[in-house]
Amino acid sequence: MAVADSVSGRNVGVSQYAGVRLFKETIQGMHLEEDLHGVRVAPILDADGDVTKELGEAEALLSGGVDGLVLFSGGSTWDDFVQRAVASGIYVFTYNPGPTAGATMNIRKQPGAAAALGEAAAAWINSEHGGDAKFAVLAHSSQAGRDRAAAMRNGVLAHAPNATPVAEIVAPGFSEGAKATEDLLSAYPDLRAVLSFYDDAALGVLEAATAAGKTDPADFWIGGFMGIEPALEKIAEGGLFQATISFYVKFNGVQIMRDMVKCLRGEEIPPTRENRFELITRANVETHKKLLMDPLAADTARIVEPGRLAID
């Protein structure tokens, strides 16, 4: 039951470029805060990977009765839209690789995450293969995707300089990750590791590598990015999927709503929030999973207010 609150009855819309698991779990976190304040998360738009469609759907929200809007897209393409939305009285949060001019809050990923995944892969290469192994990187076609891929590759080479990067392939999703891995293993049968831009693609890598007979975690290493629940489950199994970078996805959704409620009450919030990360391996995955089970529990309060998903 919603509590009595000065912002009760207000709506926060969501516009997502594609309905990937990262966004879905963030939105789940947003929903957890709804009944605490009576603020609804609706409507939730999914552009199916079409930027033009997303812009068009978001335009409709300008006159659609939303009081706040969360964009899982952004960058300079959205500058004009965001500035018009804010000018009309809508609070706009963006969760994107690059800042969007005029947004009420830009939520950014804490720097260094991609390099940390590369370092984890390097530690495995050094431990299991004497520092000499072939590896590949799966990327996204965006500039942010290319930057993250470069940081992952450089993170490996900084700590395992004798490792050999054999390919960088655009593979943003499960099917693309699986196909890329089939092609990679055909061209490089002695490939040892794949680092992926997203967990979704890393799960595709896992399926293809397993189908190709890779079953020994001392022989093949897969690392992902974002820390979605299916990735955490695979890491817990102790198989080929051995690491991911978690951005506390559901906690981020909770914090988005807490900041949005502050805006709706007329309170000040900072223009930028940095979303913390943590390297997740089998050593800490069970502890991390327990944290994610209930983002509103008292013993997880350090992750959100007052920590605000920043470094403790």
Side-chain angles (χ1 to χ4, degrees):
M1 180 179 296
V3 299
D5 197 306
S6 62
V7 298
S8 182
R10 311 288 282 277
N11 284 351
V12 176
V14 176
S15 175
Q16 53 188 329
Y17 170 70
V20 297
R21 188 66 186 248
L22 164 67
F23 300 155
K24 290 178 180 177
E25 291 188 16
T26 305
I27 292 168
Q28 287 172 7
M30 294 175 65
H31 282 306
L32 292 175
E33 287 281 307
E34 283 182 307
D35 287 345
L36 299 178
H37 311 285
V39 177
R40 303 289 80 165
V41 181
I44 299 171
L45 307 178
D46 180 354
D48 300 316
D50 186 333
V51 175
T52 301
K53 177 182 178 182
E54 185 181 15
L55 280 164
E57 289 181 339
E59 284 286 351
L61 294 180
L62 291 183
S63 57
V66 297
D67 305 286
L69 179 60
V70 180
L71 294 176
F72 293 111
S73 281
S76 59
T77 303
W78 288 85
D79 286 353
D80 176 69
F81 169 84
V82 168
Q83 290 166 24
R84 286 187 289 110
V86 171
S88 71
I90 298 172
Y91 299 103
V92 181
F93 289 12
T94 69
Y95 186 48
N96 316 296
T100 304
T104 310
M105 174 180 278
N106 282 296
I107 304 164
R108 306 289 302 280
K109 296 178 181 67
Q110 179 191 349
L117 186 67
E119 183 176 352
W124 178 86
I125 290 171
N126 290 332
S127 173
E128 301 294 343
H129 299 281
D132 183 8
K134 292 183 173 69
F135 71 94
V137 175
L138 303 188
H140 191 273
S141 59
S142 65
Q143 183 60 53
R146 293 190 292 271
D147 291 346
R148 187 183 300 170
M152 289 190 290
R153 181 183 65 249
N154 293 339
V156 174
L157 296 175
H159 299 277
N162 292 326
T164 304
V166 297
E168 179 182 312
I169 301 174
V170 172
F174 182 93
S175 60
E176 296 91 343
K179 179 61 167 62
T181 304
E182 291 173 3
D183 294 342
L184 283 165
L185 288 173
S186 177
Y188 307 99
D190 56 347
L191 182 73
R192 297 293 187 185
V194 179
L195 296 79
S196 175
F197 177 88
Y198 273 139
D199 283 335
D200 300 272
L203 291 165
V205 175
L206 176 62
E207 180 172 276
T210 302
K214 304 291 186 182
T215 58
D216 185 353
D219 180 62
F220 202 82
W221 187 97
I222 299 168
F225 217 85
M226 292 306 172
I228 62 174
E229 290 179 358
L232 299 177
E233 293 298 334
K234 291 301 180 183
I235 292 170
E237 292 174 5
L240 304 182
F241 202 141
Q242 300 186 52
T244 187
I245 296 293
S246 172
F247 283 97
Y248 292 85
V249 179
K250 286 185 180 178
F251 288 89
N252 184 41
V254 169
Q255 191 64 62
I256 285 172
M257 283 297 282
R258 291 184 180 185
D259 287 333
M260 186 64 78
V261 167
K262 287 181 180 179
C263 287
L264 295 173
R265 289 175 176 155
E267 300 174 19
E268 293 290 327
I269 64 168
T272 302
R273 174 165 63 79
E274 201 169 79
N275 197 1
R276 66 175 288 178
F277 76 84
E278 184 175 0
L279 175 70
I280 305 301
T281 66
R282 197 179 185 191
N284 63 349
V285 67
E286 292 298 340
T287 299
H288 194 71
K289 285 168 60 182
K290 288 178 182 177
L291 279 176
L292 295 179
M293 286 176 63
D294 186 1
L296 302 185
D299 62 354
T300 64
R302 66 180 180 84
I303 306 299
V304 287
E305 302 279 9
R308 299 182 55 77
L309 287 169
I311 292 296
D312 290 338

